[in-house]
Amino acid sequence: MAYTVSPSPAAPVGSQYCVCKVELSICGQNLLDRDVTSKSDPFCVLFMEVNGKWVELDRTETAVNNLNPAFAKKFIIDYHFEEVQKLKFALFDQDKSSTQLYEHDFLGEFSCTLGTIVSSKKITRTLLLGNGKPAGKGMITIAAQELSDNRVITLSMAGRKLDKKDLFGKSDPFLEFYKPGDDGKWMLVHRTEVIKYTLDPVWKPFTVPLVSLCDGDMEKLIKVVCYDYDSDGGHDFIGEFQTSVARLCEAQDASPLELECINPKKQKKKKNYKNSGIIIVKSCKITRDFSFLDYILGGCQLMFTVGIDFTASNGNPQEPSSLHYINPLGTNEYLSAIWAVGQIIQDYDSDKMFPALGFGAQLPPDWKVSHEFAINFNPRNPFCSGVEGIVQAYSACLPHIRFYGPTNFSPIINHVARFAAQATQQETASQYFILLIITDGVISDMDETRHAVVQASKLPMSIIIVGVGNADFAAMEFLDGDSRVLHSHTGEEAVRDIVQFVPFRNFRNVPKETLAKAVLAELPQQVVQYFKHQNLPPINSEPA
């Protein structure tokens, strides 16, 4: 979605690939009727593009005598945000029992990326024949759903009057939580910390995924065991009990749940045995731990802006030695970076209109230096249509500007930050801004840039910096807070790490997809981290 400034003033957080499973539900409408005496018997086949070839992943059941099928069989796919995952859905009319597709009549197909489907949650598109023409009035509807139980349980536990196990002192108690495994044996799920020298421990609250604790089944029995810690590993058994998450959920802040801790051997031996202490559930809360895909399926749009370095150190774009020289293949490192990042992100923006800005050049007609100009020379409408539009505007502007300097990042960072600040006024998880800066060298306005990044870390925005050429990029590594927290020149800390830097030279001789994976690896967790920090759930989320 494009964004524009409204009249109201704008108010001035280790790499982990996003992999989860997506379930796709398929329906067909008004399919071609290929059978003479009855209606078609359609089935759908899913293909994925692998190394330039379509590979079949799965197929649905056959819907007998039905031109408007809703297939019960779902397609389940691993979702990778940082990859372009091209899919093709082909429908056939089953004529024989053969598994060979050429034996069946073709009813039409539709191709798109998985990113397109998840960013819309549900799409309906025209089916096409092999010649690219519509397959009659045939349509396909594809709906996406994340296949994961994102509920987490937070427990606050304590003990009272636990058995004394140490000869010269009290016990050092800790708890272990178990669930039944597939083999019928108890499987360890969580262990609390040890509380030293007490029979009345209070453990720190802890959070575990509900799937881990009870496979998502609130009624399933779980076992809690209490031990006295020994440094030699021979921990003494205090007692145990079995319960369920449904029972634990009865605990409220005002009325804790008390459960007897039982030692079965003592219970058998002693007639007057009561228990080996009480385990108290002080509170039990179940919430949802939302993922990146939850936010995208909830309608969050990724707003993409490109900032391009046109400083003199890049060299004359007419000469092959220049980093802006467009080679006979029609590309250079700047264009490669734009394509690598843009082709992923454009799937997550509904109108695919992207602002493209330049910095460090003198502009006609008065040849003043600008650090924030629209490369289409239209400051009122700096938007380019799709990644192709950015590439066209870039190529067209090169002959009309003079490369100059210095290399100032802060104006473009502050430009995008103004829009991100405006988006926060909606108080919903609806927009997240991504600024791609492509540069050849050392930052001239380091203090101002550090300040701009620290301020932007409070906003729904991330910055990707791709360094082209062979310059010293130590300053860029400094901005990328993977190893240390970034501070502004005034000493203010960044709220979270929002900068990802990669040198293009590390990716010159590898497949172009590798660059996209490297620069976008941290983005999903940055999006989630921001919205969680603001306590903003996905727009269309269900309560836990």
Side-chain angles (χ1 to χ4, degrees), residues 219-231:
E219 303 299 333
K220 179 175 272 193
L221 273 184
I222 59 172
K223 182 166 79 168
V224 182
V225 186
C226 185
Y227 288 100
D228 166 41
Y229 173 82
D230 275 342
S231 56

Side-chain angles (χ1 to χ4, degrees), residues 444-462:
S444 307
D445 64 338
M446 192 60 181
D447 281 356
E448 293 83 354
T449 294
R450 281 165 57 189
H451 182 73
V453 170
V454 167
Q455 298 312 309
S457 72
K458 305 168 191 171
L459 299 169
M461 118 175 224
S462 290

Side-chain angles (χ1 to χ4, degrees), residues 233-288:
H235 310 308
D236 296 320
F237 175 71
I238 293 176
E240 66 183 24
F241 61 89
Q242 292 186 20
T243 184
S244 68
V245 170
R247 178 97 168 90
L248 296 177
C249 285
E250 293 172 16
Q252 301 297 328
D253 289 333
S255 57
L257 176 68
E258 300 197 348
L259 297 157
E260 288 189 307
C261 197
I262 302 297
N263 182 328
K265 284 185 182 174
K266 280 191 175 182
Q267 197 176 36
K268 276 184 183 175
K269 281 182 185 173
K270 297 181 181 176
K271 284 187 179 176
N272 59 349
Y273 174 82
K274 264 185 145 180
N275 57 53
S276 294
I278 302 291
I279 299 296
I280 304 157
V281 185
K282 293 163 66 181
S283 76
C284 172
K285 292 188 176 74
I286 294 179
T287 52
R288 289 196 181 274

Side-chain angles (χ1 to χ4, degrees), residues 309 311 313-314 323 334 407 438-442 466-471 473:
D309 179 344
T311 53
S313 52
N314 282 277
L323 293 166
Y334 279 89
T407 308
I438 315 169
T439 181
D440 81 319
V442 181
V466 175
V468 295
N470 295 311
F473 292 123

Side-chain angles (χ1 to χ4, degrees), residues 138-152:
M139 307 286 282
I140 186 170
T141 297
I142 307 159
Q145 184 176 357
E146 183 175 3
L147 268 194
S148 70
D149 186 338
N150 58 14
R151 292 173 297 172
V152 293

Side-chain angles (χ1 to χ4, degrees), residues 151-354:
R151 292 173 297 172
V152 293
I153 181 167
T154 302
L155 286 163
S156 189
M157 312 282 290
R160 187 174 74 239
K161 294 184 178 174
L162 297 178
D163 281 358
K164 178 171 170 286
K165 289 288 181 181
D166 292 349
L167 200 55
F168 299 110
K170 297 179 178 178
S171 295
D172 306 316
F174 67 94
L175 298 177
E176 288 187 342
F177 290 74
Y178 293 83
K179 69 175 178 184
D182 294 336
D183 56 1
K185 294 176 181 171
W186 290 103
M187 189 169 105
L188 179 64
V189 172
H190 180 78
R191 181 184 290 123
T192 68
E193 80 279 18
V194 176
I195 307 291
K196 290 277 195 178
Y197 315 122
T198 180
L199 303 180
D200 303 298
V202 177
W203 290 282
K204 288 177 189 166
F206 64 90
T207 301
V208 291
L210 201 61
V211 170
S212 298
L213 185 59
C214 61
D215 299 327
D217 181 353
M218 309 264 287
E219 303 299 333
K220 179 175 272 193
L221 273 184
I222 59 172
K223 182 166 79 168
V224 182
V225 186
C226 185
Y227 288 100
D228 166 41
Y229 173 82
D230 275 342
S231 56
D232 64 2
H235 310 308
D236 296 320
F237 175 71
I238 293 176
E240 66 183 24
F241 61 89
Q242 292 186 20
T243 184
S244 68
V245 170
R247 178 97 168 90
L248 296 177
C249 285
E250 293 172 16
Q252 301 297 328
D253 289 333
S255 57
L257 176 68
E258 300 197 348
L259 297 157
E260 288 189 307
C261 197
I262 302 297
N263 182 328
K265 284 185 182 174
K266 280 191 175 182
Q267 197 176 36
K268 276 184 183 175
K269 281 182 185 173
K270 297 181 181 176
K271 284 187 179 176
N272 59 349
Y273 174 82
K274 264 185 145 180
N275 57 53
S276 294
I278 302 291
I279 299 296
I280 304 157
V281 185
K282 293 163 66 181
S283 76
C284 172
K285 292 188 176 74
I286 294 179
T287 52
R288 289 196 181 274
D289 186 20
F290 294 111
S291 69
F292 173 72
L293 199 49
D294 287 322
Y295 284 103
I296 295 299
L297 289 168
C300 182
Q301 297 272 299
L302 300 185
M303 320 294 276
F304 181 45
T305 301
V306 178
I308 300 173
D309 179 344
F310 291 112
T311 53
S313 52
N314 282 277
N316 181 345
Q318 307 294 318
E319 296 174 7
S321 59
S322 168
L323 293 166
H324 280 290
Y325 173 74
I326 298 176
N327 64 30
L329 296 173
T331 189
N332 60 31
E333 292 190 359
Y334 279 89
L335 287 170
S336 297
I338 291 168
W339 274 114
V341 179
Q343 68 175 350
I344 304 281
I345 291 178
Q346 68 176 352
D347 283 342
Y348 299 87
D349 186 324
S350 58
D351 69 2
K352 305 197 183 339
M353 297 298 289
F354 307 124

